[in-house]
Amino acid sequence: MTSSKISITGSRTSAGAAAGRTTAGVPLLRHAAAVAWKDLRVELRSREIVYTTGFFAVLLVVVFSFAFTREPSAVAGVTPGMLWVAVAFAGTVGLGRAFDREREGDTMRALLLSPAPRLAVFFGKATAIAALVLAVAALVAPLLALLLQAPLFEEPLPLVVCLVLGSVGFALVGTVFAAMLLRVRSRDVLLPVVLYPILVPMFIAGTKATAALVAARPDVAAAWYWIQFLGVYDALFFGISLWTFESLVIE
Amino acid sequence: MNRILVPIMALLAAVGLAVSAWGIFVVTPMEQTLYYSQKIFYWHVPNATMLFVAVFVCGIASLVYLKKRDARWDDIALASGELAVVFGAIVLATGSIWARAAWGHWWVWETRLVTSLLLWLIMVGVVLVRRFAGTGAERLAAGLAVFGMVDVPLIYVGVKQGDLHPQAKVVQTLDTGMRLTFWLSMATFLFLFVALLLTRIQTARAERQLRELHERGLDAGLLES
């Protein structure tokens, strides 16, 4: 197999990783893809996280519908909030579960000990989480449109871009914190405690963009402004995650 | 050095608090539209400044700690993190009182209020994590502090763009008595901050050294667990 040959060239030290990035950026991506594909394949076989978090997200939407609905339709303007809160809650549950899986098999240590650079492990995990969150969003958004007659799909392109960027941001920050919490007591409570304050700008931008899109007169320009904001958020935390991930994960 | 510096700072802060209280209620003229409620401004703004100073000290110390793994930086992060919570609580309390008097509500969703609240929540998170996370808590708290520091400008911009509430327009051109009192309060709270920071760093270091000694004693079999 080619992967074994490539993995020998990888080095876990930061100097090695830096050198590896300049001379061979491709192996890093290939390692990351391997890690992501491993996670997704485990998930595709059991479908545990997708089914449970997906069902949880559906339940959230139904609960929200009861909580925020006055006959005959939802209170005006709550749909964007419902969408993003459902995505965030379900995403957190899925995130915790994805890392629990590594902990149960004690495979996180194996991943970190493997010759793949830690950044590749980070990228791989984050990619898998982003795909999971996006799947939840893809479930919740049509359901909201269906149950609450929300005009979510009047402007499909900005909505999709917005959800993708939101999921990526969630996955980046979430992966860093979930990986840090792996060996920590009471991590189930602490994950949302540490994650949500950091995610606040993402919620603000996400809900504002969605609100601009579902308004009676959609304001696409405003939506794109907030989508750009999401892009900046993602880029910023991408950089800071890259910079700190290695020193944050507990070996 | 701390042995001299801390008492000096504490003394300066104590004198400053007394003098600034005198300045606030005796020297400064009454503000024309806000009357007495404006006086809280002299203590509110310095506390807000100290909140941001504490957060950035904590963020930078955490970053250095993560990069260098030197526990001394962690002591600084711990001390400034806790101080950020304390000063943040004062800021939110005084701000609420002021908002009630000036705007008629205890709380409005205004840029600076929301930014301070979220910043305070992040710092409470840092302190909580450090308390309850057990092994590896320092690093987790450090990570949260770094991410929190990066988050601040984003929150500010994010909230500001949607902000329809009129900005709090305080007296733009202060008269001499007001300006002196204001800067005196500013210096006072800076002294207080430095005194508290140094003291807390000292106790944090002592706690850590005691813990390390205890562990060494256990390893050597001199102590019973």
Side-chain angles (χ1 to χ4, degrees), chain A residues 180-181 184-185 194 197-198 200-201 225-226 229 233 237 243 247-248 251, chain B residues 63 66-67 69 118 122 129 133-134 139-140 144 147 151 154 158 161:
Chain A
M180 270 197 285
L181 280 166
V184 161
R185 242 181 330 141
V194 295
I198 305 298
V200 161
Y225 170 81
W226 288 109
F229 185 93
Y233 177 89
F237 279 101
W243 200 31
S247 42
L248 280 174
E251 60 267 64
Chain B
L63 194 59
L66 284 178
K67 289 291 162 193
R69 292 291 168 81
L118 288 169
I122 291 172
V129 161
R139 221 175 308 172
L140 184 56
L144 187 56
F147 276 69
D151 224 25
L154 285 173
Q161 288 302 320

PDB file of all heavy atoms in Angstrom, chain A residues 180-181 184-185 194 197-198 200-201 225-226 229 233 237 243 247-248 251, chain B residues 63 66-67 69 118 122 129 133-134 139-140 144 147 151 154 158 161:
ATOM      1  N   MET A 180      -9.391  18.173  23.374  1.00  0.00           N
ATOM      2  CA  MET A 180      -8.792  18.566  24.639  1.00  0.00           C
ATOM      3  C   MET A 180      -9.506  17.923  25.808  1.00  0.00           C
ATOM      4  O   MET A 180      -8.890  17.575  26.817  1.00  0.00           O
ATOM      5  CB  MET A 180      -8.909  20.073  24.792  1.00  0.00           C
ATOM      6  CG  MET A 180      -7.781  20.848  24.251  1.00  0.00           C
ATOM      7  SD  MET A 180      -7.852  22.482  24.951  1.00  0.00           S
ATOM      8  CE  MET A 180      -9.183  23.182  24.045  1.00  0.00           C
ATOM      9  N   LEU A 181     -10.842  17.772  25.673  1.00  0.00           N
ATOM     10  CA  LEU A 181     -11.651  17.280  26.789  1.00  0.00           C
ATOM     11  C   LEU A 181     -11.614  15.763  26.908  1.00  0.00           C
ATOM     12  O   LEU A 181     -12.200  15.208  27.825  1.00  0.00           O
ATOM     13  CB  LEU A 181     -13.099  17.724  26.603  1.00  0.00           C
ATOM     14  CG  LEU A 181     -13.416  19.153  26.994  1.00  0.00           C
ATOM     15  CD1 LEU A 181     -14.758  19.563  26.450  1.00  0.00           C
ATOM     16  CD2 LEU A 181     -13.417  19.280  28.505  1.00  0.00           C
ATOM     17  N   VAL A 184     -10.708  14.369  30.226  1.00  0.00           N
ATOM     18  CA  VAL A 184     -11.087  15.234  31.336  1.00  0.00           C
ATOM     19  C   VAL A 184     -12.356  14.715  31.998  1.00  0.00           C
ATOM     20  O   VAL A 184     -13.225  14.169  31.343  1.00  0.00           O
ATOM     21  CB  VAL A 184     -11.280  16.669  30.795  1.00  0.00           C
ATOM     22  CG1 VAL A 184     -12.103  17.492  31.747  1.00  0.00           C
ATOM     23  CG2 VAL A 184      -9.941  17.328  30.566  1.00  0.00           C
ATOM     24  N   ARG A 185     -12.378  14.873  33.302  1.00  0.00           N
ATOM     25  CA  ARG A 185     -13.582  14.543  34.059  1.00  0.00           C
ATOM     26  C   ARG A 185     -14.757  15.398  33.585  1.00  0.00           C
ATOM     27  O   ARG A 185     -14.565  16.493  33.123  1.00  0.00           O
ATOM     28  CB  ARG A 185     -13.294  14.886  35.529  1.00  0.00           C
ATOM     29  CG  ARG A 185     -13.352  13.736  36.444  1.00  0.00           C
ATOM     30  CD  ARG A 185     -13.092  14.133  37.890  1.00  0.00           C
ATOM     31  NE  ARG A 185     -12.220  15.273  38.103  1.00  0.00           N
ATOM     32  CZ  ARG A 185     -12.446  16.176  39.057  1.00  0.00           C
ATOM     33  NH1 ARG A 185     -13.499  16.100  39.810  1.00  0.00           N
ATOM     34  NH2 ARG A 185     -11.597  17.161  39.242  1.00  0.00           N
ATOM     35  N   VAL A 194     -17.538  25.133  27.337  1.00  0.00           N
ATOM     36  CA  VAL A 194     -16.405  25.805  26.705  1.00  0.00           C
ATOM     37  C   VAL A 194     -16.706  26.166  25.251  1.00  0.00           C
ATOM     38  O   VAL A 194     -16.176  27.143  24.724  1.00  0.00           O
ATOM     39  CB  VAL A 194     -15.115  24.946  26.758  1.00  0.00           C
ATOM     40  CG1 VAL A 194     -14.677  24.751  28.189  1.00  0.00           C
ATOM     41  CG2 VAL A 194     -15.286  23.627  26.062  1.00  0.00           C
ATOM     42  N   PRO A 197     -19.635  29.718  24.251  1.00  0.00           N
ATOM     43  CA  PRO A 197     -19.183  31.116  24.235  1.00  0.00           C
ATOM     44  C   PRO A 197     -18.314  31.425  23.020  1.00  0.00           C
ATOM     45  O   PRO A 197     -18.409  32.503  22.437  1.00  0.00           O
ATOM     46  CB  PRO A 197     -18.378  31.244  25.525  1.00  0.00           C
ATOM     47  CG  PRO A 197     -18.908  30.194  26.403  1.00  0.00           C
ATOM     48  CD  PRO A 197     -19.280  29.058  25.517  1.00  0.00           C
ATOM     49  N   ILE A 198     -17.485  30.447  22.628  1.00  0.00           N
ATOM     50  CA  ILE A 198     -16.603  30.676  21.485  1.00  0.00           C
ATOM     51  C   ILE A 198     -17.408  30.689  20.187  1.00  0.00           C
ATOM     52  O   ILE A 198     -17.048  31.355  19.215  1.00  0.00           O
ATOM     53  CB  ILE A 198     -15.514  29.579  21.427  1.00  0.00           C
ATOM     54  CG1 ILE A 198     -14.752  29.501  22.740  1.00  0.00           C
ATOM     55  CG2 ILE A 198     -14.545  29.830  20.287  1.00  0.00           C
ATOM     56  CD1 ILE A 198     -14.008  30.743  23.104  1.00  0.00           C
ATOM     57  N   VAL A 200     -20.361  31.896  19.767  1.00  0.00           N
ATOM     58  CA  VAL A 200     -21.357  32.975  19.697  1.00  0.00           C
ATOM     59  C   VAL A 200     -21.299  33.794  18.402  1.00  0.00           C
ATOM     60  O   VAL A 200     -22.331  34.007  17.762  1.00  0.00           O
ATOM     61  CB  VAL A 200     -21.265  33.883  20.947  1.00  0.00           C
ATOM     62  CG1 VAL A 200     -21.921  35.216  20.717  1.00  0.00           C
ATOM     63  CG2 VAL A 200     -21.926  33.203  22.119  1.00  0.00           C
ATOM     64  N   PRO A 201     -20.103  34.253  17.961  1.00  0.00           N
ATOM     65  CA  PRO A 201     -20.083  35.013  16.705  1.00  0.00           C
ATOM     66  C   PRO A 201     -20.669  34.223  15.538  1.00  0.00           C
ATOM     67  O   PRO A 201     -21.351  34.786  14.684  1.00  0.00           O
ATOM     68  CB  PRO A 201     -18.597  35.293  16.469  1.00  0.00           C
ATOM     69  CG  PRO A 201     -17.971  35.164  17.790  1.00  0.00           C
ATOM     70  CD  PRO A 201     -18.755  34.138  18.537  1.00  0.00           C
ATOM     71  N   TYR A 225     -23.220  39.550   3.368  1.00  0.00           N
ATOM     72  CA  TYR A 225     -22.332  40.197   4.333  1.00  0.00           C
ATOM     73  C   TYR A 225     -22.047  39.256   5.498  1.00  0.00           C
ATOM     74  O   TYR A 225     -20.891  39.059   5.895  1.00  0.00           O
ATOM     75  CB  TYR A 225     -22.949  41.504   4.851  1.00  0.00           C
ATOM     76  CG  TYR A 225     -22.177  42.074   6.012  1.00  0.00           C
ATOM     77  CD1 TYR A 225     -21.012  42.811   5.802  1.00  0.00           C
ATOM     78  CD2 TYR A 225     -22.573  41.832   7.325  1.00  0.00           C
ATOM     79  CE1 TYR A 225     -20.283  43.295   6.863  1.00  0.00           C
ATOM     80  CE2 TYR A 225     -21.846  42.303   8.395  1.00  0.00           C
ATOM     81  CZ  TYR A 225     -20.708  43.042   8.167  1.00  0.00           C
ATOM     82  OH  TYR A 225     -19.971  43.508   9.218  1.00  0.00           O
ATOM     83  N   TRP A 226     -23.130  38.638   6.029  1.00  0.00           N
ATOM     84  CA  TRP A 226     -22.953  37.758   7.181  1.00  0.00           C
ATOM     85  C   TRP A 226     -22.242  36.473   6.796  1.00  0.00           C
ATOM     86  O   TRP A 226     -21.551  35.863   7.609  1.00  0.00           O
ATOM     87  CB  TRP A 226     -24.294  37.469   7.840  1.00  0.00           C
ATOM     88  CG  TRP A 226     -24.801  38.669   8.563  1.00  0.00           C
ATOM     89  CD1 TRP A 226     -25.853  39.469   8.223  1.00  0.00           C
ATOM     90  CD2 TRP A 226     -24.228  39.253   9.738  1.00  0.00           C
ATOM     91  NE1 TRP A 226     -25.972  40.500   9.108  1.00  0.00           N
ATOM     92  CE2 TRP A 226     -24.993  40.394  10.054  1.00  0.00           C
ATOM     93  CE3 TRP A 226     -23.140  38.923  10.560  1.00  0.00           C
ATOM     94  CZ2 TRP A 226     -24.704  41.202  11.145  1.00  0.00           C
ATOM     95  CZ3 TRP A 226     -22.864  39.733  11.640  1.00  0.00           C
ATOM     96  CH2 TRP A 226     -23.635  40.854  11.926  1.00  0.00           C
ATOM     97  N   PHE A 229     -18.760  37.237   6.928  1.00  0.00           N
ATOM     98  CA  PHE A 229     -18.378  37.254   8.339  1.00  0.00           C
ATOM     99  C   PHE A 229     -18.081  35.832   8.810  1.00  0.00           C
ATOM    100  O   PHE A 229     -17.073  35.580   9.478  1.00  0.00           O
ATOM    101  CB  PHE A 229     -19.525  37.862   9.154  1.00  0.00           C
ATOM    102  CG  PHE A 229     -19.216  38.057  10.609  1.00  0.00           C
ATOM    103  CD1 PHE A 229     -18.723  39.269  11.058  1.00  0.00           C
ATOM    104  CD2 PHE A 229     -19.421  37.043  11.525  1.00  0.00           C
ATOM    105  CE1 PHE A 229     -18.438  39.461  12.392  1.00  0.00           C
ATOM    106  CE2 PHE A 229     -19.137  37.216  12.863  1.00  0.00           C
ATOM    107  CZ  PHE A 229     -18.650  38.431  13.301  1.00  0.00           C
ATOM    108  N   TYR A 233     -14.667  34.278  10.288  1.00  0.00           N
ATOM    109  CA  TYR A 233     -14.664  33.498  11.532  1.00  0.00           C
ATOM    110  C   TYR A 233     -13.959  32.161  11.320  1.00  0.00           C
ATOM    111  O   TYR A 233     -13.070  31.787  12.086  1.00  0.00           O
ATOM    112  CB  TYR A 233     -16.113  33.279  11.979  1.00  0.00           C
ATOM    113  CG  TYR A 233     -16.276  32.433  13.216  1.00  0.00           C
ATOM    114  CD1 TYR A 233     -16.266  33.014  14.470  1.00  0.00           C
ATOM    115  CD2 TYR A 233     -16.435  31.059  13.137  1.00  0.00           C
ATOM    116  CE1 TYR A 233     -16.416  32.257  15.610  1.00  0.00           C
ATOM    117  CE2 TYR A 233     -16.587  30.281  14.265  1.00  0.00           C
ATOM    118  CZ  TYR A 233     -16.571  30.891  15.506  1.00  0.00           C
ATOM    119  OH  TYR A 233     -16.709  30.126  16.627  1.00  0.00           O
ATOM    120  N   PHE A 237     -10.353  31.038  13.064  1.00  0.00           N
ATOM    121  CA  PHE A 237     -10.235  29.906  13.973  1.00  0.00           C
ATOM    122  C   PHE A 237      -9.513  28.731  13.328  1.00  0.00           C
ATOM    123  O   PHE A 237      -8.945  27.897  14.021  1.00  0.00           O
ATOM    124  CB  PHE A 237     -11.603  29.509  14.518  1.00  0.00           C
ATOM    125  CG  PHE A 237     -12.008  30.401  15.647  1.00  0.00           C
ATOM    126  CD1 PHE A 237     -12.903  31.425  15.450  1.00  0.00           C
ATOM    127  CD2 PHE A 237     -11.431  30.257  16.888  1.00  0.00           C
ATOM    128  CE1 PHE A 237     -13.242  32.275  16.479  1.00  0.00           C
ATOM    129  CE2 PHE A 237     -11.759  31.107  17.924  1.00  0.00           C
ATOM    130  CZ  PHE A 237     -12.666  32.114  17.719  1.00  0.00           C
ATOM    131  N   TRP A 243      -2.448  26.622  14.903  1.00  0.00           N
ATOM    132  CA  TRP A 243      -1.326  27.096  15.705  1.00  0.00           C
ATOM    133  C   TRP A 243      -1.280  26.419  17.067  1.00  0.00           C
ATOM    134  O   TRP A 243      -0.209  26.189  17.625  1.00  0.00           O
ATOM    135  CB  TRP A 243      -1.439  28.614  15.843  1.00  0.00           C
ATOM    136  CG  TRP A 243      -0.161  29.266  16.214  1.00  0.00           C
ATOM    137  CD1 TRP A 243       1.085  28.848  15.884  1.00  0.00           C
ATOM    138  CD2 TRP A 243      -0.017  30.438  16.995  1.00  0.00           C
ATOM    139  NE1 TRP A 243       2.011  29.701  16.400  1.00  0.00           N
ATOM    140  CE2 TRP A 243       1.355  30.686  17.086  1.00  0.00           C
ATOM    141  CE3 TRP A 243      -0.904  31.322  17.602  1.00  0.00           C
ATOM    142  CZ2 TRP A 243       1.859  31.775  17.778  1.00  0.00           C
ATOM    143  CZ3 TRP A 243      -0.400  32.408  18.289  1.00  0.00           C
ATOM    144  CH2 TRP A 243       0.964  32.627  18.369  1.00  0.00           C
ATOM    145  N   SER A 247      -0.243  21.801  20.785  1.00  0.00           N
ATOM    146  CA  SER A 247       0.084  21.975  22.203  1.00  0.00           C
ATOM    147  C   SER A 247      -1.134  21.771  23.097  1.00  0.00           C
ATOM    148  O   SER A 247      -0.989  21.672  24.306  1.00  0.00           O
ATOM    149  CB  SER A 247       0.686  23.360  22.431  1.00  0.00           C
ATOM    150  OG  SER A 247      -0.008  24.319  21.706  1.00  0.00           O
ATOM    151  N   LEU A 248      -2.328  21.719  22.488  1.00  0.00           N
ATOM    152  CA  LEU A 248      -3.515  21.594  23.305  1.00  0.00           C
ATOM    153  C   LEU A 248      -3.900  20.148  23.594  1.00  0.00           C
ATOM    154  O   LEU A 248      -4.430  19.838  24.652  1.00  0.00           O
ATOM    155  CB  LEU A 248      -4.695  22.285  22.626  1.00  0.00           C
ATOM    156  CG  LEU A 248      -4.744  23.793  22.789  1.00  0.00           C
ATOM    157  CD1 LEU A 248      -5.858  24.373  21.947  1.00  0.00           C
ATOM    158  CD2 LEU A 248      -4.981  24.149  24.240  1.00  0.00           C
ATOM    159  N   GLU A 251      -1.363  14.363  25.414  1.00  0.00           N
ATOM    160  CA  GLU A 251      -0.832  13.085  24.918  1.00  0.00           C
ATOM    161  C   GLU A 251      -0.855  12.023  26.017  1.00  0.00           C
ATOM    162  O   GLU A 251      -1.028  12.354  27.168  1.00  0.00           O
ATOM    163  CB  GLU A 251       0.584  13.238  24.354  1.00  0.00           C
ATOM    164  CG  GLU A 251       1.615  13.726  25.312  1.00  0.00           C
ATOM    165  CD  GLU A 251       1.741  15.237  25.231  1.00  0.00           C
ATOM    166  OE1 GLU A 251       0.795  15.941  25.549  1.00  0.00           O
ATOM    167  OE2 GLU A 251       2.806  15.696  24.833  1.00  0.00           O
TER     168      GLU A 251
ATOM    169  N   LEU B  63      -1.332  31.719  25.964  1.00  0.00           N
ATOM    170  CA  LEU B  63      -0.683  31.375  24.704  1.00  0.00           C
ATOM    171  C   LEU B  63       0.785  31.024  24.943  1.00  0.00           C
ATOM    172  O   LEU B  63       1.280  30.012  24.430  1.00  0.00           O
ATOM    173  CB  LEU B  63      -0.806  32.560  23.739  1.00  0.00           C
ATOM    174  CG  LEU B  63      -0.493  32.275  22.288  1.00  0.00           C
ATOM    175  CD1 LEU B  63      -1.419  31.202  21.751  1.00  0.00           C
ATOM    176  CD2 LEU B  63      -0.657  33.535  21.465  1.00  0.00           C
ATOM    177  N   LEU B  66       1.021  27.679  26.586  1.00  0.00           N
ATOM    178  CA  LEU B  66       0.815  26.566  25.665  1.00  0.00           C
ATOM    179  C   LEU B  66       2.050  26.306  24.822  1.00  0.00           C
ATOM    180  O   LEU B  66       2.381  25.174  24.503  1.00  0.00           O
ATOM    181  CB  LEU B  66      -0.365  26.857  24.741  1.00  0.00           C
ATOM    182  CG  LEU B  66      -1.751  26.699  25.359  1.00  0.00           C
ATOM    183  CD1 LEU B  66      -2.809  27.067  24.351  1.00  0.00           C
ATOM    184  CD2 LEU B  66      -1.961  25.281  25.836  1.00  0.00           C
ATOM    185  N   LYS B  67       2.734  27.395  24.452  1.00  0.00           N
ATOM    186  CA  LYS B  67       3.894  27.244  23.583  1.00  0.00           C
ATOM    187  C   LYS B  67       5.128  26.802  24.360  1.00  0.00           C
ATOM    188  O   LYS B  67       5.945  26.043  23.867  1.00  0.00           O
ATOM    189  CB  LYS B  67       4.166  28.565  22.851  1.00  0.00           C
ATOM    190  CG  LYS B  67       3.133  28.883  21.785  1.00  0.00           C
ATOM    191  CD  LYS B  67       3.260  27.910  20.619  1.00  0.00           C
ATOM    192  CE  LYS B  67       1.977  27.924  19.784  1.00  0.00           C
ATOM    193  NZ  LYS B  67       1.896  26.818  18.844  1.00  0.00           N
ATOM    194  N   ARG B  69       5.152  25.756  27.820  1.00  0.00           N
ATOM    195  CA  ARG B  69       4.922  24.774  28.879  1.00  0.00           C
ATOM    196  C   ARG B  69       5.627  25.137  30.180  1.00  0.00           C
ATOM    197  O   ARG B  69       6.063  24.260  30.920  1.00  0.00           O
ATOM    198  CB  ARG B  69       5.395  23.388  28.440  1.00  0.00           C
ATOM    199  CG  ARG B  69       4.609  22.762  27.358  1.00  0.00           C
ATOM    200  CD  ARG B  69       3.226  22.388  27.840  1.00  0.00           C
ATOM    201  NE  ARG B  69       2.380  22.037  26.714  1.00  0.00           N
ATOM    202  CZ  ARG B  69       2.407  20.853  26.144  1.00  0.00           C
ATOM    203  NH1 ARG B  69       3.205  19.928  26.621  1.00  0.00           N
ATOM    204  NH2 ARG B  69       1.638  20.595  25.129  1.00  0.00           N
ATOM    205  N   LEU B 118     -20.495  38.599  27.130  1.00  0.00           N
ATOM    206  CA  LEU B 118     -19.973  37.364  26.541  1.00  0.00           C
ATOM    207  C   LEU B 118     -18.539  37.116  26.969  1.00  0.00           C
ATOM    208  O   LEU B 118     -18.134  35.997  27.265  1.00  0.00           O
ATOM    209  CB  LEU B 118     -20.076  37.426  25.023  1.00  0.00           C
ATOM    210  CG  LEU B 118     -21.516  37.295  24.527  1.00  0.00           C
ATOM    211  CD1 LEU B 118     -21.611  37.638  23.061  1.00  0.00           C
ATOM    212  CD2 LEU B 118     -22.040  35.896  24.776  1.00  0.00           C
ATOM    213  N   ILE B 122     -17.121  33.900  28.929  1.00  0.00           N
ATOM    214  CA  ILE B 122     -15.965  33.102  28.529  1.00  0.00           C
ATOM    215  C   ILE B 122     -15.006  32.941  29.711  1.00  0.00           C
ATOM    216  O   ILE B 122     -14.502  31.855  29.996  1.00  0.00           O
ATOM    217  CB  ILE B 122     -15.247  33.744  27.321  1.00  0.00           C
ATOM    218  CG1 ILE B 122     -16.129  33.642  26.080  1.00  0.00           C
ATOM    219  CG2 ILE B 122     -13.917  33.066  27.059  1.00  0.00           C
ATOM    220  CD1 ILE B 122     -15.597  34.411  24.895  1.00  0.00           C
ATOM    221  N   VAL B 129     -13.692  25.629  34.158  1.00  0.00           N
ATOM    222  CA  VAL B 129     -12.929  24.514  33.591  1.00  0.00           C
ATOM    223  C   VAL B 129     -11.733  24.192  34.464  1.00  0.00           C
ATOM    224  O   VAL B 129     -11.449  23.041  34.785  1.00  0.00           O
ATOM    225  CB  VAL B 129     -12.481  24.879  32.164  1.00  0.00           C
ATOM    226  CG1 VAL B 129     -11.350  23.994  31.721  1.00  0.00           C
ATOM    227  CG2 VAL B 129     -13.640  24.732  31.208  1.00  0.00           C
ATOM    228  N   ALA B 133     -12.198  20.471  35.791  1.00  0.00           N
ATOM    229  CA  ALA B 133     -11.823  19.551  34.726  1.00  0.00           C
ATOM    230  C   ALA B 133     -10.824  18.486  35.175  1.00  0.00           C
ATOM    231  O   ALA B 133     -10.604  17.524  34.477  1.00  0.00           O
ATOM    232  CB  ALA B 133     -11.283  20.310  33.537  1.00  0.00           C
ATOM    233  N   GLY B 134     -10.227  18.660  36.333  1.00  0.00           N
ATOM    234  CA  GLY B 134      -9.278  17.646  36.802  1.00  0.00           C
ATOM    235  C   GLY B 134      -7.970  17.701  36.039  1.00  0.00           C
ATOM    236  O   GLY B 134      -7.477  18.786  35.715  1.00  0.00           O
ATOM    237  N   ARG B 139      -4.351  23.243  30.696  1.00  0.00           N
ATOM    238  CA  ARG B 139      -4.201  23.405  29.255  1.00  0.00           C
ATOM    239  C   ARG B 139      -5.543  23.725  28.598  1.00  0.00           C
ATOM    240  O   ARG B 139      -5.627  24.529  27.689  1.00  0.00           O
ATOM    241  CB  ARG B 139      -3.595  22.138  28.668  1.00  0.00           C
ATOM    242  CG  ARG B 139      -2.578  22.490  27.641  1.00  0.00           C
ATOM    243  CD  ARG B 139      -1.885  21.279  27.137  1.00  0.00           C
ATOM    244  NE  ARG B 139      -1.346  20.441  28.219  1.00  0.00           N
ATOM    245  CZ  ARG B 139      -0.828  19.258  27.981  1.00  0.00           C
ATOM    246  NH1 ARG B 139      -0.775  18.795  26.765  1.00  0.00           N
ATOM    247  NH2 ARG B 139      -0.340  18.549  28.960  1.00  0.00           N
ATOM    248  N   LEU B 140      -6.581  23.074  29.111  1.00  0.00           N
ATOM    249  CA  LEU B 140      -7.918  23.332  28.588  1.00  0.00           C
ATOM    250  C   LEU B 140      -8.321  24.778  28.836  1.00  0.00           C
ATOM    251  O   LEU B 140      -8.816  25.474  27.938  1.00  0.00           O
ATOM    252  CB  LEU B 140      -8.905  22.379  29.274  1.00  0.00           C
ATOM    253  CG  LEU B 140     -10.345  22.410  28.802  1.00  0.00           C
ATOM    254  CD1 LEU B 140     -10.401  22.161  27.316  1.00  0.00           C
ATOM    255  CD2 LEU B 140     -11.137  21.354  29.528  1.00  0.00           C
ATOM    256  N   LEU B 144      -9.088  27.705  26.090  1.00  0.00           N
ATOM    257  CA  LEU B 144     -10.314  28.490  26.097  1.00  0.00           C
ATOM    258  C   LEU B 144     -10.000  29.982  26.164  1.00  0.00           C
ATOM    259  O   LEU B 144     -10.633  30.796  25.477  1.00  0.00           O
ATOM    260  CB  LEU B 144     -11.177  28.074  27.295  1.00  0.00           C
ATOM    261  CG  LEU B 144     -12.570  28.668  27.367  1.00  0.00           C
ATOM    262  CD1 LEU B 144     -13.341  28.363  26.107  1.00  0.00           C
ATOM    263  CD2 LEU B 144     -13.308  28.138  28.575  1.00  0.00           C
ATOM    264  N   PHE B 147      -8.744  31.121  22.668  1.00  0.00           N
ATOM    265  CA  PHE B 147      -9.856  31.207  21.728  1.00  0.00           C
ATOM    266  C   PHE B 147     -10.791  32.361  22.104  1.00  0.00           C
ATOM    267  O   PHE B 147     -11.322  33.041  21.236  1.00  0.00           O
ATOM    268  CB  PHE B 147     -10.630  29.883  21.693  1.00  0.00           C
ATOM    269  CG  PHE B 147     -10.036  28.867  20.766  1.00  0.00           C
ATOM    270  CD1 PHE B 147      -8.826  28.281  21.062  1.00  0.00           C
ATOM    271  CD2 PHE B 147     -10.669  28.510  19.593  1.00  0.00           C
ATOM    272  CE1 PHE B 147      -8.255  27.353  20.207  1.00  0.00           C
ATOM    273  CE2 PHE B 147     -10.114  27.583  18.734  1.00  0.00           C
ATOM    274  CZ  PHE B 147      -8.898  27.006  19.046  1.00  0.00           C
ATOM    275  N   ASP B 151     -11.947  35.657  20.037  1.00  0.00           N
ATOM    276  CA  ASP B 151     -13.383  35.810  19.829  1.00  0.00           C
ATOM    277  C   ASP B 151     -13.866  37.246  20.049  1.00  0.00           C
ATOM    278  O   ASP B 151     -14.838  37.667  19.432  1.00  0.00           O
ATOM    279  CB  ASP B 151     -14.100  34.886  20.821  1.00  0.00           C
ATOM    280  CG  ASP B 151     -15.226  34.137  20.159  1.00  0.00           C
ATOM    281  OD1 ASP B 151     -15.148  33.952  18.934  1.00  0.00           O
ATOM    282  OD2 ASP B 151     -16.169  33.736  20.851  1.00  0.00           O
ATOM    283  N   LEU B 154     -14.524  39.627  17.150  1.00  0.00           N
ATOM    284  CA  LEU B 154     -15.602  39.098  16.305  1.00  0.00           C
ATOM    285  C   LEU B 154     -16.966  39.360  16.936  1.00  0.00           C
ATOM    286  O   LEU B 154     -17.904  39.770  16.258  1.00  0.00           O
ATOM    287  CB  LEU B 154     -15.420  37.594  16.111  1.00  0.00           C
ATOM    288  CG  LEU B 154     -14.325  37.175  15.147  1.00  0.00           C
ATOM    289  CD1 LEU B 154     -14.145  35.679  15.182  1.00  0.00           C
ATOM    290  CD2 LEU B 154     -14.682  37.612  13.743  1.00  0.00           C
ATOM    291  N   GLY B 158     -19.774  41.583  15.316  1.00  0.00           N
ATOM    292  CA  GLY B 158     -21.035  40.899  15.060  1.00  0.00           C
ATOM    293  C   GLY B 158     -22.217  41.575  15.711  1.00  0.00           C
ATOM    294  O   GLY B 158     -23.265  41.734  15.109  1.00  0.00           O
ATOM    295  N   GLN B 161     -22.912  45.350  14.193  1.00  0.00           N
ATOM    296  CA  GLN B 161     -23.562  45.478  12.887  1.00  0.00           C
ATOM    297  C   GLN B 161     -25.080  45.433  12.997  1.00  0.00           C
ATOM    298  O   GLN B 161     -25.780  46.050  12.232  1.00  0.00           O
ATOM    299  CB  GLN B 161     -23.090  44.357  11.952  1.00  0.00           C
ATOM    300  CG  GLN B 161     -21.677  44.521  11.488  1.00  0.00           C
ATOM    301  CD  GLN B 161     -21.460  45.823  10.769  1.00  0.00           C
ATOM    302  OE1 GLN B 161     -22.298  46.265  10.000  1.00  0.00           O
ATOM    303  NE2 GLN B 161     -20.348  46.482  11.052  1.00  0.00           N
TER     304      GLN B 161
END
